Amino acid sequence: MKALKKYLKKLKSNITALLEVQQESFTPDTFHTLRLEIKKLNALLNLVNFCSKGLKQKKTFKPFKLIFCQAGKVRELQLERVLLNQYFASAYIMQYRNDLEKKLREELNNYFLIPNESFAEKLQKKYSKINAALAKTNRKMTNRYMDKKRAEIEKILHKKALKNKQMHALRKSLKEYQFNQKSLNFNKQDKLSPKNYALPELLGEWHDFQTVIQHLKKAVDSGEINQKESNQLENVIATFTFKSQLLFSKINATVRNVPLNPT
């Protein structure tokens, strides 16, 4: 399909440009954007795999997953730093913050070891395989795929109250659905309601707090932090848990008022 080939070309251009950004020019937004573009690519691979069983999806996505996961480690530490600075004074949990900065530098260095000429050539081969698989897709098959994803979302939205696992599933399905809407040029005639656009934002914010809370709990459970800072970290966890619970309630309230058809 021409629309999908054009979309892949744009994704390739965006990802290539982001991987060529030098370390001194990288920002937290750069990592966020890179991961977002790779998520779009993975959503496209899910669609193509549905339409063309000859594509070995896991193998094709493997090098992208490598950079995605390492960028994710950096992104999570950057997010943790942002939330700590937003809600707590700079003198609070000083040793933990120093350790956080050290770990962030290490993960940044690990990230910049990956993009090189050999890695770029490997990605190029994968793009070629994806492009070849796109030739086997057609509108009828992509419509079936979108119907399937819509049904998954509707099934979750039927729940009276979502649990953690269901919220993660809803977040993933909504994002993938939106990405592939754009890739298929469905966005002009098949728009989401404002409430459906709000849900991914709320789910993303909730997920951010969940991620940081897990990091903090792991640090406390390690037993490597002194008692004073361990107590302070418990306070941080309690604050972030409260924020997370508020978002949890808001998401469930939004879900109850969202039309079951996400389009």
Side-chain angles (χ1 to χ4, degrees), residues 16-123:
T16 301
L18 289 163
L19 290 175
E20 290 176 352
V21 175
Q22 298 300 305
Q23 185 167 355
E24 60 272 14
S25 302
F26 247 80
T27 67
D29 282 342
T30 313
F31 278 104
H32 174 67
T33 304
L34 173 61
R35 282 173 53 79
L36 187 63
E37 294 300 304
I38 296 177
K39 283 181 183 180
K40 291 177 183 178
L41 180 67
N42 194 39
L44 178 62
L45 282 174
N46 286 337
L47 185 151
V48 175
N49 187 59
F50 180 86
C51 299
S52 173
K53 301 301 181 182
L55 180 70
K56 296 179 180 178
Q57 184 176 355
K58 287 186 178 180
K59 187 176 180 180
T60 302
F61 189 63
K62 189 175 180 180
F64 296 100
K65 185 176 181 180
L66 174 66
I67 199 78
F68 178 83
C69 290
Q70 186 55 41
K73 292 179 182 179
V74 175
R75 172 71 179 158
E76 288 178 2
L77 294 171
Q78 290 173 332
L79 172 65
E80 187 172 347
R81 179 172 62 183
V82 168
L83 289 179
L84 287 174
N85 290 341
Q86 183 176 349
Y87 289 98
F88 296 93
S90 58
Y92 204 67
I93 52 171
M94 278 289 289
Q95 185 57 54
Y96 179 80
R97 290 188 199 225
N98 289 337
D99 291 342
L100 180 65
E101 291 300 319
K102 181 180 178 182
K103 190 171 183 180
L104 178 54
R105 288 193 297 270
E106 290 175 355
E107 297 298 353
L108 276 167
N109 289 334
N110 290 337
Y111 168 84
F112 285 103
L113 291 174
I114 299 174
N116 54 36
E117 187 174 341
S118 174
F119 186 74
E121 290 174 357
K122 188 177 295 184
L123 294 188

Side-chain angles (χ1 to χ4, degrees), residues 47 69 74 87 91 118-119 124 156 166 175 192 212 221 239:
L47 185 151
C69 290
V74 175
Y87 289 98
S118 174
F119 186 74
Q124 180 57 51
I156 299 173
Q166 292 163 334
K175 280 291 185 184
L192 292 175
V212 173
D221 292 342
T239 298

